[in-house]
Amino acid sequence: MMIIIAEFFVVILKVLWAFVTAGAKWVVRPKEKSVAGQVCVITGAGSGLGRLFAKEFARRRAILVLWDINSQSNEETAEMVRQIYHELDTDLTKDGPVGGVEEVPPFQPQVYTYVCDVGKRESVYSTAEKVRREVGEVDILINNAGVVSGHHLLECPDELIERTMVVNCHAHFWTTKAFLPKMLELNHGHIVTVASSLGLFSTAGVEDYCASKFGAIGFHESLSHELKASEKDGINMTLVCPYLVDTGMFKGCRIRKEIEPFLPPLKPEFCVKQAMRAILTDQPMICTPRIVYMVNFMKSILPFEAIVCMYRFLGADKCMYPFLAQRKEAMNNNEAKNGI
């Protein structure tokens, strides 16, 4: 009994120390780690956040492995990465050796592109094998690919529901199973889950999307605990949960007009820069903007009816309806054109 009581007090001290260290990071910014020369796989790299992640990692001299279902857009991202590599190489050549000593070896552009449908596990596993064979073992995995159906539940075809779940959630299982074994062997690596605030709290009209993001977050958290239980402290996990990002994915989504100036859609560049800071400092979770942390906490402690009242006040209860209406109108117009 005395042992349990002693352990309990030790746990309390460790919890308090965790609060202290977390608070200290707000005051003293942690030093960012180097990812130069590390192999980084980014899914959904052909556009949106995936493209911006690729550019940010390229600026830090990482070896980029870009996955996307669209070959053309993926190659466009790769060309942007090559341009960044070229600029880095030019700057290095221009500066020359410092004090007559060549401290940094000449930088060689390295970016690889692969067409991969992460919604098909065979495609994931075969592409992963190509990466290991042609590039090497992966150090950083960015699970970024995502889709949205844009239909009310009762109007959404089952195939689109399944597609949303598979791409946004199941694919994380497959990519992780493909690359985690070597990370465990080396006790080195970093897995990033790009989820959403809609994986922490939901809204009406996007049941499939919310479910997929809740699933991705559950997978991420469980895997984080498994790595801790296995005492693999060299493998880091970062969960990225942004508020609505202005990438066009949810075009038309609107909250109450009086509130919107205080909570506008996030600029993609800002979202990725915040995520990069979290990744490079091994931060377990990043919510952007910070009010998402508070909303998630309030959801956990307030009665459901209180949450409903807050949603209605903010206009968040039907914020997806304009987006859904636009998607439905666009689909009807396409069907009309095809019928002509």
Side-chain angles (χ1 to χ4, degrees):
M1 186 65 181
M2 292 300 295
I3 294 176
I4 293 178
I5 294 174
E7 287 184 0
F8 177 72
F9 279 107
V10 170
V11 168
I12 291 177
L13 290 174
K14 287 183 177 180
V15 169
L16 293 174
W17 180 247
F19 275 102
V20 171
T21 54
K25 290 178 181 178
W26 283 57
V27 180
V28 181
R29 182 177 172 179
K31 183 180 178 181
E32 295 184 353
K33 66 182 179 183
S34 172
V35 292
Q38 295 193 23
V39 178
C40 176
V41 171
I42 303 175
T43 66
S47 61
L49 299 185
R51 175 171 289 178
L52 293 174
F53 272 117
K55 293 167 72 173
E56 287 294 329
F57 275 101
R59 294 186 182 102
R60 290 163 176 81
R61 304 175 182 272
I63 299 171
L64 271 299
V65 179
L66 310 179
W67 288 16
D68 201 275
I69 195 172
N70 188 315
S71 175
Q72 181 179 344
S73 61
N74 206 27
E75 287 298 334
E76 290 172 359
T77 301
E79 190 56 38
M80 295 176 187
V81 168
R82 292 186 187 102
Q83 181 60 35
I84 293 172
Y85 285 155
H86 177 71
E87 292 171 0
L88 291 173
D89 196 23
T90 302
D91 292 342
L92 187 62
T93 304
K94 186 188 302 181
D95 294 341
V98 179
V101 179
E102 189 71 40
E103 295 184 351
V104 181
F107 185 78
Q108 298 298 323
Q110 298 179 87
V111 56
Y112 304 83
T113 59
Y114 296 88
V115 175
C116 178
D117 182 355
V118 296
K120 298 178 179 178
R121 63 176 179 271
E122 297 84 1
S123 179
V124 170
Y125 292 143
S126 62
T127 307
E129 184 57 37
K130 287 181 183 177
V131 170
R132 283 191 291 268
R133 186 170 60 249
E134 299 172 6
V135 185
E137 298 299 337
V138 171
D139 301 288
I140 304 168
L141 171 61
I142 311 291
N143 280 317
N144 166 77
V147 296
V148 61
S149 65
H151 296 275
H152 288 280
L153 175 62
L154 299 183
E155 299 174 358
C156 188
D158 292 344
E159 301 79 37
L160 290 183
I161 294 175
E162 291 174 349
R163 178 71 178 169
T164 301
M165 294 300 298
V166 169
V167 173
N168 294 359
C169 181
H170 298 175
H172 294 216
F173 288 75
W174 303 329
T175 56
T176 301
K177 287 183 69 176
F179 297 120
L180 182 59
K182 196 63 178 182
M183 292 184 182
L184 290 170
E185 181 183 330
L186 301 175
N187 192 23
H188 169 77
H190 200 137
I191 299 175
V192 178
T193 299
V194 181
S196 168
S197 59
L198 290 178
L200 299 171
F201 46 85
S202 58
T203 188
V206 282
E207 289 83 358
D208 55 341
Y209 185 82
C210 289
S212 69
K213 291 301 183 179
F214 268 83
I217 291 175
F219 166 74
H220 179 99
E221 291 182 349
S222 180
L223 180 59
S224 298
H225 284 297
E226 182 169 343
L227 292 173
K228 289 295 184 183
S230 303
E231 298 183 353
K232 296 293 182 180
D233 295 331
I235 304 174
N236 296 295
M237 301 278 294
T238 298
L239 176 62
V240 180
C241 292
Y243 170 64
L244 181 67
V245 184
D246 190 13
T247 60
M249 190 174 191
F250 290 101
K251 186 177 180 180
C253 175
R254 291 287 182 270
I255 59 173
R256 186 172 178 173
K257 63 181 181 180
E258 294 88 352
I259 303 295
E260 197 167 32
F262 302 99
L263 200 60
L266 299 174
K267 295 294 182 184
E269 295 80 6
F270 172 76
C271 175
V272 169
K273 284 188 180 297
Q274 293 295 307
M276 285 298 298
R277 181 184 301 176
I279 294 167
L280 296 175
T281 57
D282 296 330
Q283 186 174 327
M285 180 179 183
I286 174 70
C287 292
T288 312
R290 294 189 183 278
I291 193 173
V292 173
Y293 292 108
M294 184 173 68
V295 175
N296 187 43
F297 174 72
M298 293 175 68
K299 173 212 166 187
S300 302
I301 62 173
L302 293 179
F304 179 71
E305 289 303 323
I307 298 295
V308 171
C309 289
M310 291 177 59
Y311 268 46
R312 288 175 177 170
F313 171 75
L314 296 171
D317 56 333
K318 298 180 180 179
C319 64
M320 288 292 174
Y321 283 19
F323 155 70
L324 296 172
Q326 284 190 17
R327 290 291 287 262
K328 187 173 184 178
E329 182 180 356
M331 180 174 291
N332 291 338
N333 289 339
N334 288 334
E335 290 177 354
K337 289 179 182 178
N338 293 334
I340 295 175

